[in-house]
Amino acid sequence: MKKKLLNFYNKREEYIKKYFHENIDFTNVFDKYINEKRDNPIMIIGEAPGANEVKLKEPFVGKAGENLNYLISLSGLDRKKDFLITNAFPFRTFNKNKNRTPSASELKIGSKLLEEEIDIVKPSLILLLGNSAIKAFSYIPWAKEVKNLKKCGVYEINNYKIGVCFHPSPLAFNRSDIRKSLEDFFKSIKSFI
């Protein structure tokens, strides 16, 4: 899986450039702990890399990444070994050098890559964090129903366990109700794998 996954990550730019060229930073950002992963890790899907992620070439390393690390610590699992962290759209999207949410058409194209990545990883659990991840995932033909699911629950779709919850962005995390939902959700993850 690991070699196949690295080859896949190195092909994404070529695929995306068939459709989009502007306001995208094509720096390759992926989980740097691939060689330490257990088989069938939990796959966390976020929105898209931001400026911090591009700088370090690793997903979830900014403030949302700090929040995610805290949540992962509540799960009792190890970020390096038990989770593979990726994005709904693989590259940073920006406008006037500020991060922007990927467009619906970008997420639709990104979903084709996401489906291939899932097929390679065969995750024990897929966690969709935030609306962009949920939207991109819903473009996968077998996963359309995911957009109708209640947040912070785990469901079975096409023989995959799918967890749907909020994105741990600073804005969301500052809301006590969202923070509590995320904390409770991550505390329960072990029971689903």
Side-chain angles (χ1 to χ4, degrees):
M1 166 201 85
K2 294 163 186 173
K3 186 175 181 184
K4 193 173 181 181
L5 195 54
L6 286 171
N7 288 337
F8 165 75
Y9 289 149
N10 289 322
K11 293 186 319 185
R12 295 184 301 184
E13 178 180 352
E14 182 184 323
Y15 178 77
I16 293 292
K17 280 186 172 177
K18 291 179 195 172
Y19 303 94
F20 307 108
H21 299 280
E22 295 178 10
N23 297 325
I24 295 174
D25 181 328
F26 286 100
T27 300
N28 208 354
V29 174
F30 58 87
D31 193 319
K32 69 180 183 180
Y33 301 106
I34 287 174
N35 291 323
E36 297 177 43
K37 301 294 175 209
R38 65 176 175 84
D39 290 340
N40 313 104
I42 297 166
M43 182 183 261
I44 292 179
I45 302 171
E47 181 178 271
N52 290 324
E53 287 74 16
V54 164
K55 184 177 176 184
L56 297 174
K57 298 182 181 178
E58 184 182 356
F60 273 104
V61 292
K63 186 61 182 153
E66 290 175 27
N67 295 341
L68 181 62
N69 286 339
Y70 163 70
L71 293 168
I72 287 172
S73 76
L74 296 178
S75 75
L77 297 167
D78 183 274
R79 176 175 173 152
K80 292 178 186 176
K81 184 179 73 175
D82 297 314
F83 294 89
L84 177 79
I85 301 175
T86 193
N87 287 292
F89 190 77
F91 301 110
R92 178 180 179 232
T93 53
F94 63 89
N95 188 16
K96 297 180 182 171
N97 209 30
K98 290 190 176 175
N99 297 338
R100 68 170 169 82
T101 302
S103 67
S105 57
E106 288 166 337
L107 291 173
K108 198 168 202 171
I109 295 302
S111 74
K112 294 181 186 332
L113 291 170
L114 207 49
E115 185 175 17
E116 187 176 341
E117 190 174 4
I118 290 165
D119 193 49
I120 293 167
V121 174
K122 296 180 182 14
S124 56
L125 176 63
I126 298 169
L127 302 181
L128 306 174
L129 300 184
N131 293 331
S132 290
I134 294 165
K135 189 175 201 173
F137 201 77
S138 75
Y139 291 130
I140 297 173
W142 51 262
K144 291 176 183 172
E145 67 195 77
V146 77
K147 62 186 169 210
N148 301 319
L149 301 175
K150 188 176 178 211
K151 282 195 176 153
C152 297
V154 175
Y155 310 89
E156 187 157 322
I157 302 173
N158 199 44
N159 296 317
Y160 283 107
K161 291 179 192 166
I162 313 293
V164 180
C165 206
F166 301 98
H167 191 282
S169 70
L171 191 62
F173 216 63
N174 287 337
R175 283 188 44 191
S176 59
D177 57 331
I178 289 177
R179 183 181 179 129
K180 181 168 182 357
S181 294
L182 276 161
E183 288 172 342
D184 291 346
F185 182 69
F186 272 83
K187 285 175 187 174
S188 72
I189 283 175
K190 265 189 182 174
S191 67
F192 296 105
I193 55 171

